[in-house]
Amino acid sequence: MSKEKSIDQFENVPIPKAIVEKIKKRIEQTDFDSVSSYITYVLQEVLSEENDEEEAVFSKEDEARVKERLKALGYLD
Amino acid sequence: MQLDRDVNYIVSGLERSGTSMLMQILVGGDIPTLFDDSRKADRDNPKGYYELKGGKIINSVIEGKFPFDEHKGKFIKITAYGLRYLPRGNYKIIYTERNIDEVLDSMEAMIGKKDGNREKTRQSFLGLNEIVKGFIQDRDDLSACFVNYNDILSRPRANIRRIIDFLGISDEKLEDMVSIVDNRLYRKRR
Protein backbone atom coordinates (compact mmCIF):
# COMPACT_ATOMS: atom_id res chain seq x y z
CA MET A 1 0.00 0.00 0.00
CA SER A 2 1.47 3.37 -0.98
CA LYS A 3 2.41 5.55 1.96
CA GLU A 4 1.84 8.63 -0.19
CA LYS A 5 -1.91 8.07 -0.10
CA SER A 6 -3.62 10.60 2.12
CA ILE A 7 -5.45 9.48 5.22
CA ASP A 8 -8.83 10.58 3.83
CA GLN A 9 -8.61 7.79 1.24
CA PHE A 10 -9.06 5.20 3.99
CA GLU A 11 -11.89 4.07 6.24
CA ASN A 12 -11.74 2.23 9.54
CA VAL A 13 -13.57 -1.08 9.37
CA PRO A 14 -13.89 -3.11 12.58
CA ILE A 15 -12.54 -6.64 12.21
CA PRO A 16 -12.63 -9.25 14.98
CA LYS A 17 -9.36 -9.34 16.91
CA ALA A 18 -9.07 -13.09 16.43
CA ILE A 19 -8.96 -12.62 12.65
CA VAL A 20 -6.40 -9.84 12.93
CA GLU A 21 -4.18 -12.12 15.02
CA LYS A 22 -4.46 -14.88 12.42
CA ILE A 23 -3.54 -12.44 9.67
CA LYS A 24 -0.52 -11.22 11.63
CA LYS A 25 0.75 -14.77 11.81
CA ARG A 26 -0.03 -15.41 8.17
CA ILE A 27 1.89 -12.39 6.88
CA GLU A 28 5.04 -13.19 8.82
CA GLN A 29 7.81 -13.96 6.33
CA THR A 30 5.77 -12.45 3.48
CA ASP A 31 6.01 -9.18 1.58
CA PHE A 32 2.92 -7.80 3.26
CA ASP A 33 4.04 -5.05 5.60
CA SER A 34 0.77 -4.75 7.52
CA VAL A 35 -2.56 -6.41 8.25
CA SER A 36 -4.21 -3.59 6.34
CA SER A 37 -2.22 -4.24 3.15
CA TYR A 38 -3.03 -7.97 3.35
CA ILE A 39 -6.77 -7.37 3.81
CA THR A 40 -6.77 -4.83 0.97
CA TYR A 41 -5.05 -7.33 -1.32
CA VAL A 42 -7.48 -10.15 -0.49
CA LEU A 43 -10.54 -7.95 -0.95
CA GLN A 44 -9.25 -6.62 -4.26
CA GLU A 45 -8.81 -10.19 -5.44
CA VAL A 46 -12.36 -11.14 -4.38
CA LEU A 47 -13.90 -8.09 -6.00
CA SER A 48 -11.89 -8.62 -9.17
CA GLU A 49 -13.16 -12.21 -9.38
CA GLU A 50 -16.72 -10.96 -9.05
CA ASN A 51 -16.17 -8.49 -11.89
CA ASP A 52 -14.71 -11.28 -14.01
CA GLU A 53 -17.74 -13.46 -13.32
CA GLU A 54 -20.10 -10.64 -14.27
CA GLU A 55 -18.08 -9.92 -17.42
CA ALA A 56 -18.41 -13.58 -18.42
CA VAL A 57 -22.22 -13.45 -18.08
CA PHE A 58 -22.73 -9.95 -19.46
CA SER A 59 -19.78 -8.62 -21.41
CA LYS A 60 -19.22 -5.08 -22.63
CA GLU A 61 -20.25 -6.34 -26.06
CA ASP A 62 -23.51 -7.65 -24.55
CA GLU A 63 -24.10 -4.32 -22.88
CA ALA A 64 -23.53 -2.43 -26.13
CA ARG A 65 -25.99 -4.73 -27.92
CA VAL A 66 -28.63 -4.29 -25.20
CA LYS A 67 -28.22 -0.52 -25.24
CA GLU A 68 -28.61 -0.42 -29.00
CA ARG A 69 -31.82 -2.48 -28.72
CA LEU A 70 -33.18 -0.30 -25.91
CA LYS A 71 -32.55 2.82 -27.96
CA ALA A 72 -34.45 1.30 -30.86
CA LEU A 73 -37.33 0.49 -28.49
CA GLY A 74 -37.34 4.04 -27.13
CA TYR A 75 -36.14 3.27 -23.60
CA LEU A 76 -32.75 4.98 -23.84
CA ASP A 77 -31.57 8.21 -25.39
CA MET B 1 -55.36 1.03 -0.44
CA GLN B 2 -52.07 2.46 0.76
CA LEU B 3 -48.52 1.24 0.51
CA ASP B 4 -45.65 2.03 2.86
CA ARG B 5 -44.54 5.61 2.24
CA ASP B 6 -40.99 4.79 3.27
CA VAL B 7 -40.57 2.29 0.44
CA ASN B 8 -39.91 2.70 -3.27
CA TYR B 9 -42.00 0.18 -5.18
CA ILE B 10 -40.84 -0.92 -8.62
CA VAL B 11 -42.19 -3.13 -11.37
CA SER B 12 -39.33 -4.43 -13.46
CA GLY B 13 -38.14 -7.05 -15.88
CA LEU B 14 -36.65 -7.13 -19.34
CA GLU B 15 -38.42 -4.85 -21.76
CA ARG B 16 -41.39 -6.64 -23.40
CA SER B 17 -41.64 -9.18 -20.60
CA GLY B 18 -44.98 -8.17 -19.12
CA THR B 19 -44.13 -5.11 -17.04
CA SER B 20 -47.09 -3.18 -18.46
CA MET B 21 -49.47 -6.04 -17.67
CA LEU B 22 -48.19 -6.08 -14.09
CA MET B 23 -48.83 -2.35 -13.78
CA GLN B 24 -52.35 -2.89 -15.15
CA ILE B 25 -52.93 -5.62 -12.57
CA LEU B 26 -51.80 -3.29 -9.77
CA VAL B 27 -54.05 -0.51 -11.05
CA GLY B 28 -56.91 -3.02 -11.15
CA GLY B 29 -56.31 -3.70 -7.47
CA ASP B 30 -56.38 0.01 -6.57
CA ILE B 31 -52.74 -0.29 -5.55
CA PRO B 32 -50.98 3.10 -5.80
CA THR B 33 -49.07 3.44 -9.05
CA LEU B 34 -47.51 6.36 -10.86
CA PHE B 35 -47.24 6.77 -14.62
CA ASP B 36 -47.93 9.37 -17.25
CA ASP B 37 -49.25 9.29 -20.79
CA SER B 38 -45.98 10.26 -22.45
CA ARG B 39 -46.04 7.05 -24.48
CA LYS B 40 -49.55 6.44 -25.78
CA ALA B 41 -51.16 3.04 -26.14
CA ASP B 42 -50.46 1.55 -29.54
CA ARG B 43 -50.66 -1.77 -31.36
CA ASP B 44 -47.68 -3.04 -29.37
CA ASN B 45 -49.25 -2.18 -26.02
CA PRO B 46 -52.96 -1.67 -26.73
CA LYS B 47 -53.71 -1.03 -23.05
CA GLY B 48 -50.86 1.43 -22.58
CA TYR B 49 -47.31 1.38 -21.31
CA TYR B 50 -47.84 2.62 -17.72
CA GLU B 51 -44.47 4.34 -17.83
CA LEU B 52 -42.92 7.60 -16.69
CA LYS B 53 -41.29 9.75 -19.36
CA GLY B 54 -42.11 7.26 -22.07
CA GLY B 55 -39.96 4.62 -20.44
CA LYS B 56 -36.91 6.86 -20.60
CA ILE B 57 -36.92 7.14 -16.83
CA ILE B 58 -33.92 4.80 -16.91
CA ASN B 59 -31.82 7.62 -18.37
CA SER B 60 -32.29 9.69 -15.23
CA VAL B 61 -31.79 6.62 -13.00
CA ILE B 62 -28.47 5.92 -14.73
CA GLU B 63 -27.43 9.55 -14.32
CA GLY B 64 -28.36 9.47 -10.62
CA LYS B 65 -30.91 12.23 -11.15
CA PHE B 66 -34.16 10.35 -10.55
CA PRO B 67 -35.87 11.68 -7.38
CA PHE B 68 -36.67 8.38 -5.66
CA ASP B 69 -37.69 10.19 -2.45
CA GLU B 70 -40.56 11.82 -4.33
CA HIS B 71 -41.85 8.49 -5.60
CA LYS B 72 -42.19 6.49 -2.40
CA GLY B 73 -45.39 4.62 -1.64
CA LYS B 74 -46.31 4.11 -5.29
CA PHE B 75 -45.33 1.60 -7.92
CA ILE B 76 -43.33 2.90 -10.83
CA LYS B 77 -41.90 0.97 -13.76
CA ILE B 78 -38.13 0.80 -14.19
CA THR B 79 -37.09 -1.82 -16.70
CA ALA B 80 -34.24 -4.23 -15.99
CA TYR B 81 -31.33 -2.28 -17.43
CA GLY B 82 -32.04 0.66 -15.10
CA LEU B 83 -32.22 -1.48 -11.96
CA ARG B 84 -28.44 -1.87 -11.93
CA TYR B 85 -28.15 1.83 -11.15
CA LEU B 86 -30.53 2.01 -8.17
CA PRO B 87 -29.04 4.10 -5.37
CA ARG B 88 -29.15 2.77 -1.82
CA GLY B 89 -32.67 2.90 -0.48
CA ASN B 90 -35.56 0.74 0.59
CA TYR B 91 -37.16 -1.03 -2.32
CA LYS B 92 -39.81 -3.63 -3.04
CA ILE B 93 -39.62 -4.97 -6.56
CA ILE B 94 -41.92 -7.17 -8.59
CA TYR B 95 -39.67 -8.64 -11.28
CA THR B 96 -41.21 -10.42 -14.23
CA GLU B 97 -39.60 -12.87 -16.61
CA ARG B 98 -40.93 -14.21 -19.89
CA ASN B 99 -39.92 -16.79 -22.45
CA ILE B 100 -36.90 -15.07 -24.04
CA ASP B 101 -37.94 -15.86 -27.61
CA GLU B 102 -41.31 -14.23 -26.98
CA VAL B 103 -39.47 -11.19 -25.62
CA LEU B 104 -37.32 -11.01 -28.75
CA ASP B 105 -40.33 -11.57 -31.04
CA SER B 106 -42.13 -8.72 -29.31
CA MET B 107 -39.08 -6.44 -29.61
CA GLU B 108 -38.81 -7.19 -33.31
CA ALA B 109 -42.51 -6.45 -33.79
CA MET B 110 -42.19 -3.16 -31.91
CA ILE B 111 -39.09 -2.08 -33.83
CA GLY B 112 -40.64 -3.34 -37.07
CA LYS B 113 -37.54 -5.16 -38.21
CA LYS B 114 -36.13 -8.66 -37.94
CA ASP B 115 -33.02 -8.89 -35.81
CA GLY B 116 -30.10 -10.00 -37.97
CA ASN B 117 -28.09 -10.99 -34.88
CA ARG B 118 -30.89 -12.63 -32.98
CA GLU B 119 -28.84 -15.33 -31.30
CA LYS B 120 -26.34 -12.78 -30.00
CA THR B 121 -29.17 -10.51 -28.87
CA ARG B 122 -30.73 -13.50 -27.13
CA GLN B 123 -27.54 -14.22 -25.17
CA SER B 124 -27.09 -10.56 -24.30
CA PHE B 125 -30.58 -10.17 -22.85
CA LEU B 126 -30.31 -13.49 -21.02
CA GLY B 127 -27.05 -12.20 -19.54
CA LEU B 128 -28.66 -8.93 -18.52
CA ASN B 129 -31.54 -10.80 -16.89
CA GLU B 130 -29.13 -12.99 -14.97
CA ILE B 131 -26.95 -10.21 -13.59
CA VAL B 132 -29.95 -8.08 -12.67
CA LYS B 133 -31.52 -10.97 -10.76
CA GLY B 134 -28.20 -11.54 -9.01
CA PHE B 135 -28.01 -7.84 -8.20
CA ILE B 136 -31.51 -7.93 -6.70
CA GLN B 137 -30.67 -10.94 -4.57
CA ASP B 138 -27.34 -9.51 -3.39
CA ARG B 139 -28.62 -6.14 -2.22
CA ASP B 140 -29.86 -5.97 1.35
CA ASP B 141 -32.01 -2.91 0.66
CA LEU B 142 -34.18 -4.70 -1.90
CA SER B 143 -36.84 -7.33 -1.50
CA ALA B 144 -38.33 -8.90 -4.57
CA CYS B 145 -41.17 -11.04 -5.79
CA PHE B 146 -40.18 -12.90 -8.96
CA VAL B 147 -43.02 -13.75 -11.31
CA ASN B 148 -43.27 -15.15 -14.79
CA TYR B 149 -45.46 -13.58 -17.48
CA ASN B 150 -46.29 -16.91 -19.08
CA ASP B 151 -47.23 -18.41 -15.73
CA ILE B 152 -49.37 -15.40 -14.81
CA LEU B 153 -51.40 -15.99 -17.96
CA SER B 154 -51.74 -19.69 -17.12
CA ARG B 155 -52.40 -19.27 -13.41
CA PRO B 156 -53.34 -15.65 -12.74
CA ARG B 157 -55.03 -16.20 -9.40
CA ALA B 158 -52.10 -18.04 -7.80
CA ASN B 159 -49.55 -15.53 -9.07
CA ILE B 160 -51.54 -12.46 -8.09
CA ARG B 161 -52.05 -13.92 -4.63
CA ARG B 162 -48.26 -14.19 -4.35
CA ILE B 163 -47.98 -10.50 -5.23
CA ILE B 164 -50.64 -9.60 -2.64
CA ASP B 165 -48.83 -11.64 0.00
CA PHE B 166 -45.51 -10.02 -0.94
CA LEU B 167 -47.01 -6.57 -0.47
CA GLY B 168 -48.81 -7.61 2.72
CA ILE B 169 -52.10 -6.11 1.60
CA SER B 170 -55.72 -7.24 1.74
CA ASP B 171 -56.89 -9.69 -0.91
CA GLU B 172 -60.28 -7.99 -1.26
CA LYS B 173 -59.34 -6.87 -4.79
CA LEU B 174 -57.96 -10.24 -5.90
CA GLU B 175 -60.73 -10.97 -8.39
CA ASP B 176 -60.55 -7.46 -9.86
CA MET B 177 -56.84 -7.97 -10.40
CA VAL B 178 -57.32 -11.42 -11.92
CA SER B 179 -59.86 -10.01 -14.36
CA ILE B 180 -57.16 -7.72 -15.79
CA VAL B 181 -55.17 -10.63 -17.12
CA ASP B 182 -56.33 -10.75 -20.66
CA ASN B 183 -55.29 -13.67 -22.79
CA ARG B 184 -56.22 -11.76 -25.90
CA LEU B 185 -53.03 -9.75 -25.43
CA TYR B 186 -50.90 -12.85 -25.50
CA ARG B 187 -49.93 -12.53 -29.11
CA LYS B 188 -46.31 -13.60 -29.16
CA ARG B 189 -46.89 -17.07 -27.77
CA ARG B 190 -44.13 -19.66 -28.25
Side-chain angles (χ1 to χ4, degrees):
Chain A
M1 192 176 298
S2 165
K3 290 202 167 96
E4 288 86 45
K5 288 185 177 173
S6 70
I7 195 75
D8 62 3
Q9 286 180 287
F10 296 89
E11 293 269 2
N12 286 318
V13 180
I15 294 174
K17 283 182 179 173
I19 292 176
V20 172
E21 290 306 315
K22 281 185 180 176
I23 293 173
K24 281 180 180 171
K25 282 188 181 163
R26 175 165 290 202
I27 63 176
E28 286 173 6
Q29 315 295 324
T30 71
D31 290 337
F32 292 105
D33 58 7
S34 68
V35 170
S36 175
S37 60
Y38 177 81
I39 291 173
T40 301
Y41 172 78
V42 170
L43 290 179
Q44 280 173 338
E45 287 294 297
V46 170
L47 294 173
S48 170
E49 277 176 26
E50 281 186 0
N51 287 341
D52 290 348
E53 284 169 15
E54 182 170 314
E55 174 69 15
V57 175
F58 189 62
S59 66
K60 288 189 167 48
E61 189 187 339
D62 289 321
E63 177 146 22
R65 194 172 294 112
V66 164
K67 285 172 80 172
E68 184 187 334
R69 212 70 184 146
L70 297 187
K71 283 178 187 172
L73 289 165
Y75 286 98
L76 270 182
D77 285 332
Chain B
M1 173 90 57
Q2 278 202 348
L3 295 174
D4 188 335
R5 290 182 179 171
D6 289 327
V7 175
N8 282 111
Y9 294 88
I10 297 172
V11 161
S12 190
L14 293 181
E15 292 70 14
R16 312 307 296 166
S17 62
T19 50
S20 298
M21 185 182 75
L22 274 176
M23 289 291 281
Q24 289 163 25
I25 290 169
L26 297 172
V27 170
D30 287 338
I31 295 169
T33 52
L34 195 62
F35 51 89
D36 57 37
D37 60 355
S38 49
R39 176 141 55 173
K40 306 286 186 195
D42 56 22
R43 66 181 172 83
D44 297 308
N45 264 22
K47 293 194 173 181
Y49 285 84
Y50 294 83
E51 294 169 336
L52 287 170
K53 299 179 183 176
K56 290 188 176 174
I57 178 177
I58 56 178
N59 288 300
S60 52
V61 174
I62 291 168
E63 291 164 3
K65 294 178 180 171
F66 185 76
F68 281 97
D69 282 348
E70 296 170 17
H71 293 79
K72 288 182 173 174
K74 291 180 178 178
F75 267 97
I76 59 172
K77 185 167 130 180
I78 300 177
T79 48
Y81 188 78
L83 278 195
R84 300 167 69 207
Y85 299 90
L86 285 186
R88 295 286 303 173
N90 183 12
Y91 301 94
K92 282 199 166 194
I93 298 173
I94 304 174
Y95 190 89
T96 177
E97 294 179 273
R98 182 181 184 183
N99 176 298
I100 189 65
D101 286 305
E102 292 179 5
V103 169
L104 298 180
D105 288 347
S106 183
M107 286 181 178
E108 286 181 358
M110 192 169 167
I111 293 170
K113 195 167 78 174
K114 285 282 179 193
D115 183 356
N117 290 306
R118 178 153 170 142
E119 186 50 35
K120 284 189 173 179
T121 305
R122 187 176 195 277
Q123 290 308 318
S124 296
F125 275 95
L126 284 173
L128 173 63
N129 193 50
E130 192 171 331
I131 62 160
V132 170
K133 283 171 65 183
F135 171 87
I136 291 171
Q137 285 162 343
D138 287 346
R139 289 259 305 244
D140 60 6
D141 58 342
L142 313 178
S143 60
C145 175
F146 292 95
V147 294
N148 180 286
Y149 175 83
N150 308 84
D151 197 46
I152 290 174
L153 293 174
S154 302
R155 303 184 306 126
R157 192 165 283 96
N159 280 284
I160 291 170
R161 186 167 284 287
R162 279 183 56 223
I163 291 171
I164 286 172
D165 290 346
F166 170 66
L167 297 175
I169 57 176
S170 159
D171 67 356
E172 64 185 345
K173 293 283 185 179
L174 174 66
E175 293 308 319
D176 292 334
M177 295 167 79
V178 170
S179 71
I180 300 296
V181 180
D182 185 347
N183 273 296
R184 287 174 303 173
L185 289 181
Y186 192 17
R187 294 162 298 171
K188 295 294 174 192
R189 190 187 298 261
R190 281 270 179 167

